Amino acid sequence: MRSSHPRSAAVAALVATALATGLLAGTADAAEGAVSADPIRIHDIQGTTRTSPLNGKPVADVQGIVTGVRTYGSRGFWIQDPDADDDPATSEGIFVFTGSVPTVAVGDAVKVSGTVGEYVPGGVNSGNQSVTQIAKPTVTVVSSGNALPAAVAVNEYSVPAAYAPTGDPAAANSINGLTLEPSRYALDYYESLEGMNVKIGTSRVVGATDPYSEMWVTVKGWENTAKRGGTLYGSYESQNTGRLQIQQLAPVAQQPFPVANVGDKLTGTTEGPLDFNQFGGYTLVARTLGTVKAGTLAPEKTKPQAANELAVATYNVENLDPTDPQTKFDNLAKAVVENLASPDILALEEIQDDNGAKNDGTVSAEQTLTKFTAAIAAAGGPAYQWRSVTPENNKDGGEPGGNIRQVFLFNPARVSFTERAPGDAVTATGVTTENGKAALTHSPGRIDPANAAWADSRKPLAGEFVFKGKTVFVIANHFSSKGGDEGLTSVHQPPVRSSEAKRLLQAQAVNGFVKQLLAADKNASVLAVGDINDFEFSGTAQALEDGGALYSAIKSLPKAERYSYVYQGNAQVLDQILVSPGVKNYAYDSVHINAEFSAQNSDHDPQVLRFRP
């Protein structure tokens, strides 16, 4: 419990007068002589809402103890008032932005004069919350070597179960103007600690160490635990309030950041200021970092298909092109052979052209695919053949010049590809009948490429295959990304998910095409596979499933196993295989080989479905 800092009504009135006149110093002068007033304190600056009541105002001689110094990135330091008020909604810590390497040290008692501001990481259009700070500071060190204010324990008892209040509809659902309720909402709780010295105890890692030297943990060990130790994101209402991003104050060059995988433990005490950043929101910037205790998590291997089973898989190989090191090709190939058991049909997403992101008009991916299929064969896999449709230059999104596309690999010893007047980038495949059965007019071919739903996005690739005399239609998809969506910690609650509108149109287009196939043959075996870039409970998935044309087969798994991607500590579904009613008695596997690990060949986990056509 914070200690009390009482203030008389008379003193409060004097401070209010000082605020109104811009004289935000340690004293205020009355007409008849000097009258002592409380100095402006950090909790006065922070206030009881997300934005400071003193935003844009000068302040003088704000006192605090330095609790952390950041010498790289957004340079500055945090200070905290050790004499807290009795309002749990007001933070006692604040960031002082210097812009250059600070000259203070942890434990210094300082007085800071400057201008109060609200800095929005990522910019005002990002939807991110702002960080209250003092900028353009003049800093006076009063003493050094002081004890730090006791760290606030962030744990399963202190973090509320509810995530955020609903924003004010009159202000575009903004929560900026709402009074913080830290005992009721997790986002309010974290905001009430903004800039303060906080600590966590031993916590489960739910987001592996990334290339930027950060990891995610949960302080709620029991919260929506995935089968392999992550934290499952199973609905828009379940935001997993115990998640917290961990960084460190010291540059990695001075103190290497620990490598951790999902399910590991960050043991001991991790302590430091609570920050808010562009890529994850509330972040404990560790002054003291705990020790990683490794778990036993290992990459999964799926069950090989039986002789009479067809195995269809999808794998986003993350911008694969010939300029990537041979080790990436070899590791991806090894995964296809050993972890995916050499599926009969493999739909690949993010195959780039022959010189990758070099933007020179190259669109062919022959070298990329030759190199990858050779690596698979060298790893002991089949001699895969491939089919695709070459895109128009820079018309399908992704890295400029990369020209990503979907590609079918298939094992000709197990399955045949039915060639039907292969389409090009702008020619739509259609549905016809042949001997009373559904057939494609172009195989391989693109689905409705002129549809505005596919502008600057990957067009679906449709192919017709035959396995043991039975026709199987596979549609390889890579829907538009979530770029532009606001994060879960957005100032708008609920967050704006603007990218969903385009994926909804894309899902409707694919669903309509599947319905054409089913109209020609209600028992047709159709699989829509790929990186859908949306959850199995999303409106996108519902549109794909509309009318019973398809069903997201990952929902056949127990909930604790439904994920293919880990983002900000949330294990979630992005990659899916959807099946028509004619695909029965299947076995589904989300093969976890990447998303949970610090060392990744891709950021996605592949998906495999086995069935008997």
Side-chain angles (χ1 to χ4, degrees):
M1 190 69 180
R2 297 178 183 171
S3 61
S4 175
H5 180 72
R7 174 179 298 167
S8 70
V11 168
L14 285 171
V15 171
T17 301
L19 299 184
T21 58
L23 300 175
L24 307 180
T27 61
D29 293 330
E32 298 294 334
V35 179
S36 178
D38 281 356
I40 296 301
R41 307 284 287 275
I42 292 173
H43 48 247
D44 297 321
I45 297 172
Q46 287 284 9
T48 59
T49 62
R50 284 176 164 77
T51 56
S52 171
L54 308 182
N55 186 23
K57 301 288 187 180
V59 290
D61 294 337
V62 178
Q63 299 185 42
I65 305 295
V66 176
T67 61
V69 178
R70 186 157 58 198
T71 59
Y72 63 101
S74 180
R75 294 179 176 91
F77 58 95
W78 288 267
I79 60 174
Q80 183 168 332
D81 191 333
D83 187 11
D85 67 5
D86 57 359
D87 189 344
T90 57
S91 172
E92 303 295 341
I94 197 167
F95 184 67
V96 179
F97 175 68
T98 59
S100 58
V101 176
T103 57
V104 298
V106 170
D108 284 354
V110 298
K111 291 183 178 181
V112 178
S113 300
T115 302
V116 176
E118 293 289 340
Y119 169 68
V120 181
V124 294
N125 295 322
S126 66
N128 286 325
Q129 295 185 53
S130 61
V131 177
T132 304
Q133 63 180 21
I134 301 174
K136 300 178 181 178
T138 300
V139 181
T140 301
V141 177
V142 178
S143 62
S144 299
N146 297 281
L148 301 188
V152 176
V154 176
N155 55 42
E156 61 183 307
Y157 305 106
S158 63
V159 181
Y163 193 68
T166 301
D168 181 0
N173 287 343
S174 172
I175 56 177
N176 268 344
L178 303 181
T179 300
L180 298 178
E181 299 182 76
S183 64
R184 187 175 180 185
Y185 299 111
L187 285 193
D188 287 8
Y189 172 75
Y190 291 127
E191 178 64 21
S192 75
L193 300 176
E194 180 192 78
M196 289 181 63
N197 191 34
V198 301
K199 66 179 180 181
I200 61 171
T202 296
S203 302
R204 177 165 47 93
V205 176
V206 293
T209 302
D210 65 20
Y212 306 100
S213 297
E214 54 198 19
M215 72 174 73
W216 287 78
V217 302
T218 180
V219 299
K220 294 184 174 182
W222 45 265
E223 188 173 50
N224 293 326
T225 304
K227 183 179 180 180
R228 288 163 55 87
T231 300
L232 197 71
Y233 182 62
S235 73
Y236 291 124
E237 292 72 38
S238 180
Q239 309 291 6
N240 298 317
T241 63
R243 292 175 303 112
L244 198 60
Q245 187 172 223
I246 307 296
Q247 295 178 340
Q248 66 178 5
L249 279 170
V252 176
Q254 298 177 14
Q255 180 179 328
F257 194 77
V259 175
N261 297 325
V262 168
D264 292 351
K265 295 288 182 65
L266 182 62
T267 64
T269 299
T270 297
E271 182 175 328
L274 186 66
D275 192 22
F276 185 98
N277 68 41
Q278 177 182 357
F279 305 106
Y282 294 103
T283 301
L284 197 167
V285 188
R287 187 181 58 254
T288 302
L289 190 60
T291 302
V292 170
K293 181 180 180 180
T296 59
L297 200 67
E300 289 186 326
K301 294 183 178 181
T302 197
K303 178 182 177 182
Q305 64 271 33
N308 59 350
E309 284 183 318
L310 178 68
V312 180
T314 178
Y315 195 4
N316 183 322
V317 291
E318 196 175 12
N319 292 324
L320 185 66
D321 73 78
T323 68
D324 287 324
Q326 184 63 41
T327 53
K328 179 173 182 178
F329 282 87
D330 292 343
N331 290 337
L332 286 168
K334 182 179 179 181
V336 169
V337 176
E338 297 185 5
N339 301 93
L340 303 187
S342 299
D344 302 309
I345 301 171
L346 174 57
L348 301 172
E349 299 86 52
E350 294 198 17
I351 290 290
Q352 289 198 334
D353 63 31
D354 289 335
N355 60 14
K358 184 177 181 180
N359 195 1
D360 63 355
T362 298
V363 290
S364 169
E366 292 293 306
Q367 294 178 33
T368 308
L369 292 165
T370 297
K371 191 171 183 178
F372 189 33
T373 52
I376 293 173
Y384 280 114
Q385 295 182 17
W386 71 78
R387 296 292 186 275
S388 189
V389 171
T390 301
E392 294 182 281
N393 188 44
N394 287 336
K395 290 293 183 70
D396 282 15
E399 282 187 307
N403 292 308
I404 55 176
R405 83 286 313 269
Q406 298 91 270
V407 175
F408 291 125
L409 300 188
F410 64 95
N411 181 0
R414 293 263 300 164
V415 66
S416 63
F417 187 86
T418 304
E419 302 278 357
R420 296 187 186 276
D424 57 25
V426 297
T427 302
T429 189
V431 177
T432 186
T433 56
E434 185 176 274
N435 300 321
K437 297 291 186 179
L440 299 179
T441 59
H442 297 282
S443 177
R446 290 181 145 192
I447 295 175
D448 199 10
N451 189 324
W454 309 114
D456 297 316
S457 185
R458 285 70 58 181
K459 287 72 175 171
L461 177 69
E464 191 174 331
F465 298 85
V466 175
F467 176 73
K468 295 189 178 298
K470 301 292 182 65
T471 296
V472 176
F473 300 96
V474 182
I475 302 169
N477 302 279
H478 186 184
F479 283 9
S480 293
S481 76
K482 291 182 175 292
D485 286 3
E486 295 179 348
L488 295 181
T489 55
S490 170
V491 69
H492 303 114
Q493 292 293 329
V496 177
R497 300 188 296 267
S498 57
S499 71
E500 291 182 350
K502 191 166 190 177
R503 286 195 300 278
L504 178 63
L505 295 176
Q506 294 174 345
Q508 290 169 342
V510 172
N511 174 268
F513 187 81
V514 173
K515 285 177 178 175
Q516 292 180 49
L517 286 169
L518 298 181
D521 180 3
K522 66 178 181 179
N523 295 316
S525 295
V526 185
L527 295 91
V529 311
D531 180 359
I532 303 302
N533 262 320
D534 223 333
F535 317 121
E536 79 280 16
F537 53 81
S538 66
T540 301
Q542 293 171 14
L544 281 167
E545 295 179 326
D546 181 69
L550 293 167
Y551 176 75
S552 183
I554 199 168
K555 293 190 291 189
S556 66
L557 296 177
K559 286 186 177 181
E561 299 178 32
R562 298 179 195 172
Y563 59 95
S564 69
Y565 194 82
V566 177
Y567 182 67
Q568 296 183 352
N570 273 331
Q572 56 197 252
V573 170
L574 292 186
D575 307 85
Q576 301 187 43
I577 296 178
L578 298 99
V579 297
S580 67
V583 179
K584 298 181 173 67
N585 300 320
Y586 55 80
Y588 191 92
D589 195 0
S590 183
V591 188
H592 303 304
I593 60 176
N594 290 314
E596 300 164 316
F597 299 94
S598 178
Q600 300 178 340
N601 301 311
S602 167
D603 48 352
H604 292 253
D605 287 333
Q607 312 294 295
V608 179
L609 184 141
R610 299 181 295 272
F611 76 109
R612 299 177 183 180

